[in-house]
Amino acid sequence: MTISDNRRRLRTELALAEKASLMSGANFWNTKRVDRLGVPSIMLTDGPHGLRKQGGAADHLGLHASIPATCFPPAATLANSWDPGLLTRVGEALGAEAAAEDVSVLLGPGLNLKRNPLAGRSFEYFSEDPLLSGTSAAAMIRGIQSRGVAACAKHFAVNSQETHRMTIDEIVDERALHETYLEGFRIALAEGEPWTVMSAYNKVNGTYANENVELLDTILRRTFGFDGLVVTDWGGNNDRVAGLVAGNALEMPSTDGVTDREIVAAVEAGTLDEAVLDARVEELLALIARTARDDAPPPVDHDAHHELAIEAARRSILLLDNPLDLLPLGPASGRVAVIGDFAARPRYQGAGSSLVNPTRVDSALDALRASDLDIAGFERGFARRDKPSRLLRRRALRLARRSDVVLLFLGLDESAEAEGVDRQHMRLARNQLVLAHQLIGLGVPVVVVLAGGAPVELPFADEAAAIVHSYLAGQGGGTAVADVLTGRVNPSGRLAETYPLVYADVPSSASFAQTQATSEHRESIYVGYRYFDKTETPVRYPFGHGLGYTRFRYDELEAGETSARVTLTNTGEREGEETVQLYVEAPDAAVGEIRAPRELRGFAKVALMPGETVTVEIPYAEHAFDVYDVDHGGWRTVGGTYGVLAGASSRDIRLRRELDVEGEAWTAPGKERLPHYVDGRVEKVNDLEFGELLGRPLPSPRWPVGQPLTRDDIIAQTQGRGGFGGLLYRVIDLAYALLMALGRPHAANNTRFVLDLPFRSVARMSGGRVDDAMLDGLLLMVNGRFWRGARQVVSAWRARRRSERVHSNN
């Protein structure tokens, strides 16, 4: 009997209640088992850049410790390597550690598009460009699944902000949806073939992602060809039956049987075709079969994985500026002062569900002291969480005055970037900026070493002697940073996102995370460099930028029908790597169209010895000369004479050739009524123009006022309501302030996650401690009927306790 025959047999023999039970978790991390038919339970757990398997109390946001595992650099850092081979090796290590812990599904990689630099979860995502994002994710997926562990591409789709993420309605036009937000997923699915996909919390154009038939059935399965299992984000279910119909099979975590009973009732009432349930059950059984292991996996070599984590960081670290060629440092550099708290206590990962308990952590300070540099001393320079300290600053300035070079370690602290909260601004902490300006004012060369998962404003950039960016470099980042600074490693990282001069330059800056009910993507296709290059807005560092300790010359470019060939020479004195970036420029006929001026359509990372020349061939991406035609609901090759560009960034184009492409004539629908989409000045788009682009009226961006709160509303909506509801909000807000004051930023940020929980999730994520009757009582209390609600909560609690006692006695 084949595996598929066995799955069909199991599906046929399962009782209705058993099939329904398989559609939600047994607990926080495991699926249910059916012992009588030999259906085992499998474990799903977090792991975009390191296994987070909790051995004790379970939670979704990293509150409780997990077993030690290798903390690799997060996606935002690895994307800067532009190296799919490296990501595959990291994926193999992640899969090996998961297999050794009997984990069947690793919940990653995340590949949502980086729309705005303040998005709190940017460190978990790869890029602002869908080709780089999708290619990187596919490489990691292949590595993870080579070890018999399912990768889970997430969060499908348009999960672009953390503010109100569980109910926010992402309003995006159809062309931008396909060309930007879905294209990375399409590439990851086509090239990586993940066995699972996680649906997003948010709504997309009015419908929750986990019950969106257009997203999950029409696009994901029918168009993209996905044949695996879709799982909700934790607590991400809204309407369980609607989710099943759309294609979302597994709900996590356990709901203590609440939604199982909803499924059974729907089948018995005839509102859910049992064939739909059967299809979802077979998807789960197929996943169980795919991840089954006949033999015990080999033990994990944590030393080897640590060395891989160091290598991954080395190949991802960025040299952003080096105008004086001060770097690399060596014995002849003189006395070197190391200043900045991050040198001794590295910021190497983000916070939330991806928080890894590392097997070890290297600090840059220790690695620098072990190098051949003459380290004059170390000073913290500033308090971690923007607390003013004149003493720390004075000591740092004193050390700098008796040194020849200053290595200044700055960055975003642990409270700045986390799941569940978006950043409030793009600035570094004030105490760090004051210190930086005072150190630079001494006249001693200052090399700034940055840490953080997303861009920050750099007002001192033009005065710094050099700027190195480690992003979040994982547990081996300290060693890697020291290797780059001392020239043991020639940096080869390239930016996977644009670095704006100031946050106000970002097209979505005026509206991002500012509204309650909706998030309007008024910029459409103009995300990242597509906007900055279209409008010729000055940037701090362009997309694809990065320097090294050698130079490369681009000599020849041949543009063929399916690929381009570039001749590259290392003209410097050091071995190095160059990332050749291939852009396609819209044809002249597209002037006046809604088009980006150039888009990344291929890339290759090439290693060359000094004086070596190589010709590299780069295939064009699948939709290199296409647009998504909304009127026809599909991609269209647009004919014309295109520019094929080879360069070192989107603004450092070295060679250009023309290529005639056969295709159809195309005019963007309604372009004459969309002037700001034609000229790219999308920050000026008003309601009428955005509604014209969407082809429908805009929904209200605000929550309804004066209406009773329901199960679908979020706890944050209790703010300002008075009575128990207002008190509830104030207590949670006070808890945030108190935890921050106690220096517990991870726990504090998780209170923001609580505020964004829909009331329905209170019951479904409580592990059975809160049932629907208690929830209804809570809502009565919030809506001004306190005593009636309190009596209902107490009565429901007592009834539950009686039921539990009867059950335990039996």
Side-chain angles (χ1 to χ4, degrees), residues 256-275:
D256 198 39
V258 171
T259 54
D260 301 349
R261 292 190 288 273
E262 291 176 0
I263 294 169
V264 171
V267 172
E268 291 177 341
T271 56
L272 173 64
D273 188 341
E274 191 168 357

Side-chain angles (χ1 to χ4, degrees), residues 336-354:
V336 178
V338 181
I339 297 173
D341 193 52
F342 295 98
R345 293 192 300 147
R347 172 88 200 292
Y348 59 94
Q349 65 173 327
S353 62
S354 67

Side-chain angles (χ1 to χ4, degrees), residues 25-66:
N27 49 44
F28 211 85
W29 298 117
N30 298 85
T31 64
K32 296 191 184 80
R33 65 174 73 245
V34 180
D35 289 330
R36 74 178 186 87
L37 293 176
V39 178
S41 170
I42 61 172
M43 185 175 199
L44 306 84
T45 198
D46 291 313
H49 60 270
L51 182 68
R52 190 176 82 93
K53 179 183 178 182
Q54 292 178 302
D59 73 275
H60 181 49
L61 289 172
L63 284 172
H64 300 290
S66 54

Side-chain angles (χ1 to χ4, degrees), residues 142-371:
R142 290 193 297 269
I144 293 169
Q145 295 187 167
S146 72
R147 299 298 184 259
V149 174
C152 184
K154 64 182 187 182
H155 307 85
F156 194 77
V158 203
N159 182 195
S160 299
Q161 67 179 57
E162 294 300 284
T163 302
H164 308 325
R165 63 176 177 163
M166 298 189 79
T167 54
I168 198 76
D169 189 359
E170 302 280 2
I171 308 299
V172 57
D173 68 279
E174 189 175 354
R175 182 178 167 199
L177 180 66
H178 285 270
E179 290 191 10
T180 58
Y181 297 100
L182 296 181
E183 179 65 359
F185 280 97
R186 186 197 66 79
I187 294 168
L189 266 64
E191 299 181 6
E193 299 182 353
W195 299 340
T196 61
V197 165
M198 181 185 290
S199 57
Y201 284 127
N202 51 276
K203 299 173 186 175
V204 179
N205 291 328
T207 304
Y208 279 101
N210 77 298
E211 56 197 54
N212 193 312
V213 173
E214 176 71 13
L215 275 180
L216 298 186
D217 186 61
T218 304
I219 296 173
L220 183 63
R221 294 198 183 277
R222 300 177 189 273
T223 304
F224 292 174
F226 177 66
D227 67 350
L229 174 136
V230 178
V231 58
T232 67
D233 204 338
W234 264 234
N237 171 60
N238 173 53
D239 183 317
R240 189 67 194 103
V241 173
L244 284 178
V245 171
N248 202 319
L250 180 61
E251 176 188 12
M252 292 297 288
S254 168
T255 62
D256 198 39
V258 171
T259 54
D260 301 349
R261 292 190 288 273
E262 291 176 0
I263 294 169
V264 171
V267 172
E268 291 177 341
T271 56
L272 173 64
D273 188 341
E274 191 168 357
V276 172
L277 175 60
D278 288 344
R280 303 290 87 83
V281 169
E282 187 157 338
E283 289 157 9
L284 176 62
L285 295 176
L287 177 63
I288 292 171
R290 275 173 156 170
T291 58
R293 300 183 187 95
D294 296 326
D295 302 313
V300 173
D301 186 340
H302 284 293
D303 290 335
H305 285 189
H306 182 68
E307 289 302 314
L308 178 58
I310 295 173
E311 181 186 350
R314 285 171 177 154
R315 296 172 63 82
S316 303
I317 289 173
L318 297 145
L319 176 59
L320 295 177
D321 264 329
N322 193 22
L324 306 177
D325 287 333
L326 181 67
L327 296 181
L329 302 176
S333 300
R335 293 176 59 76
V336 178
V338 181
I339 297 173
D341 193 52
F342 295 98
R345 293 192 300 147
R347 172 88 200 292
Y348 59 94
Q349 65 173 327
S353 62
S354 67
L355 190 69
V356 178
N357 179 15
T359 58
R360 69 191 85 169
V361 178
D362 296 349
S363 79
L365 180 60
D366 289 342
L368 289 165
R369 283 172 169 165
S371 73

Side-chain angles (χ1 to χ4, degrees), residues 4 7 48 68-69 74 100 134-135 145 182 189 206 262 299 308 313 326-327 336 528 542 570 579 600 654 682 724 744:
S4 58
R7 291 202 305 267
T135 303
Q145 295 187 167
L182 296 181
L189 266 64
E262 291 176 0
L308 178 58
L326 181 67
L327 296 181
V336 178
N570 182 348
T579 297
L600 183 72
R654 308 291 180 85
V682 289
F724 177 75
R744 298 181 60 192

